[in-house]
Amino acid sequence: MTQLSADLSAWTLARDYAPGDGTGPHAHAEGQLIVAISGVMTLQCGDRMWLLPPQRGVWMPPGMAHCMRARGAVSLRTLYVMPDSLYMTRLPAEPRALTVSALLRELILRLVRTERVRCSDEREQRLMQLLVDELAWSDDLSLPMPVNADERLARVCAQLAADPSDPRGLDTLARAVGASGRTLSRLFVSELGMSYQLWRQHLSVMNALPRLAAGEPVSTVALDLGYDNPGAFAAMFRRLMRRSPSDYARQGKD
C-alpha cells in the first residue's frame, strides 16, 4: 500500500475472495466499515461472530483484532476512517452490525471509486458526511461463541456449530457432555448472554443466510436446518431479521 496523505479523512479498498479465503487475526489503526457487496463473509472479533450477507455490514473500531473468512465467492468493500478524523466521534466505540440500505450501498460504491476521501475536497466530504448520517445501527445479530468458557458449554456449541440441524434437545445435549439440562441452560445465559433456544435460532439464521443468498429455496434450507415446516422457520427468521427469508433470497441474486 502506498503511503497515505495527511489530507485524508478516509480511504477505501475493493477486494475479491475465493471460497474459503480470508485473513488471520489482525487489527488496523483506522476504523473500518466492512461490507460484502456480493457473497457472504464470516467475521469474528473476540467472542463475537458476524455473518455478512450483502444486506449487512460491520463497523470495526480502530485497534480491534478480527479475522474474516469467505463463505463462497465474496466481493468485499471496506472504508477505512482515519483515527484522527472528526467522523470517528460519531461512530461507535465497539464493533456493531448494521443494515446496508440502498443509499448506503451506493455511497460506499461511489467512495470506493474515489479511493481516497480528501479533507480538502468538498464534494468527497459531502459524500462522507451523508454516509455517516445514513449509518442507522441495526440490532447486533452476532453469534456469541464461548471463549475461555465452561468446557461443557464449549463442546455443545462446537457440536451445534458443526451441525446446526442436530435434532437433540437441551437435556440430551447436556447428558452427552456430563451436565444437566438446567446447568447447561444456565451456562448459555451466564456465559453467552442469551438462552439456549435463542442461540440456536441465531445459529440457524447465520447458516441460512449464505444458502438463501446462493438461491436455495427457503423450504429446502428450513428442512435442512431441522425445522418441521418452512412456515416455522420463516416466522423465526422474521423475528430476528425483521425481514422474510425470501427477501434475502431475492437480494442475493441482485
Side-chain angles (χ1 to χ4, degrees):
M1 185 184 69
T2 58
Q3 186 171 356
L4 299 177
S5 166
D7 185 42
L8 290 182
S9 59
W11 59 281
T12 65
L13 180 67
R15 183 175 177 183
D16 294 333
Y17 291 85
D21 283 354
T23 67
H26 66 286
H28 297 276
E30 305 91 346
Q32 294 176 267
L33 176 59
I34 305 166
V35 175
I37 297 301
S38 64
V40 178
M41 177 74 75
T42 301
L43 186 152
Q44 185 164 0
C45 178
D47 63 349
R48 310 296 292 185
M49 183 183 295
W50 293 265
L51 206 65
L52 306 183
Q55 303 82 10
R56 296 183 71 81
V58 161
W59 165 254
M60 187 63 57
M64 302 206 72
H66 58 282
C67 57
M68 300 185 292
R69 183 172 65 87
R71 299 277 296 267
V74 171
S75 185
L76 200 70
R77 302 294 182 268
T78 305
L79 176 73
Y80 295 89
V81 183
M82 303 303 288
D84 56 353
S85 168
L86 292 177
Y87 298 116
M88 289 298 302
T89 63
R90 299 170 56 191
L91 294 165
E94 297 293 331
R96 292 292 303 272
L98 57 96
T99 298
V100 179
S101 66
L103 175 57
L104 180 56
R105 184 179 188 274
E106 292 306 313
L107 287 168
I108 292 169
L109 293 176
R110 182 65 186 88
L111 287 170
V112 166
R113 288 198 294 272
T114 70
E115 296 185 355
R116 303 288 187 265
V117 184
R118 295 165 294 177
C119 300
S120 58
D121 190 302
E122 293 185 6
R123 184 170 180 271
E124 292 173 2
Q125 289 303 304
R126 286 196 298 270
L127 290 173
M128 188 70 181
Q129 290 166 8
L130 183 57
L131 179 141
V132 174
D133 288 340
E134 184 63 13
L135 292 179
W137 303 111
S138 67
D139 290 338
D140 188 356
L141 189 67
S142 61
L143 183 69
M145 298 292 287
V147 176
N148 299 322
D150 185 285
E151 182 182 355
R152 295 166 295 180
L153 175 65
R155 287 172 58 191
V156 167
C157 288
Q159 291 168 7
L160 293 175
D163 181 13
S165 63
D166 191 324
R168 291 177 294 174
L170 179 65
D171 289 336
T172 304
L173 289 166
R175 286 196 297 271
V177 297
S180 67
R182 179 176 295 181
T183 295
L184 192 59
S185 177
R186 176 181 54 79
L187 288 171
F188 267 95
V189 174
S190 64
E191 301 207 23
L192 300 183
M194 61 177 65
S195 69
Y196 160 76
Q197 182 180 17
L198 184 58
W199 190 90
R200 288 206 68 165
Q201 290 173 349
H202 278 247
L203 178 66
S204 293
V205 167
M206 290 187 70
N207 280 273
L209 284 170
R211 298 180 60 180
L212 294 171
E216 291 192 46
V218 174
S219 57
T220 300
V221 174
L223 295 175
D224 285 351
L225 289 173
Y227 283 80
D228 293 334
N229 59 78
F233 168 76
M236 177 278 297
F237 192 100
R238 281 194 297 269
R239 283 196 301 273
L240 292 184
M241 299 297 291
R242 301 179 183 176
R243 300 174 68 182
S244 71
S246 57
D247 287 341
Y248 278 83
R250 284 195 296 270
Q251 290 196 27
K253 299 175 183 178
D254 292 342

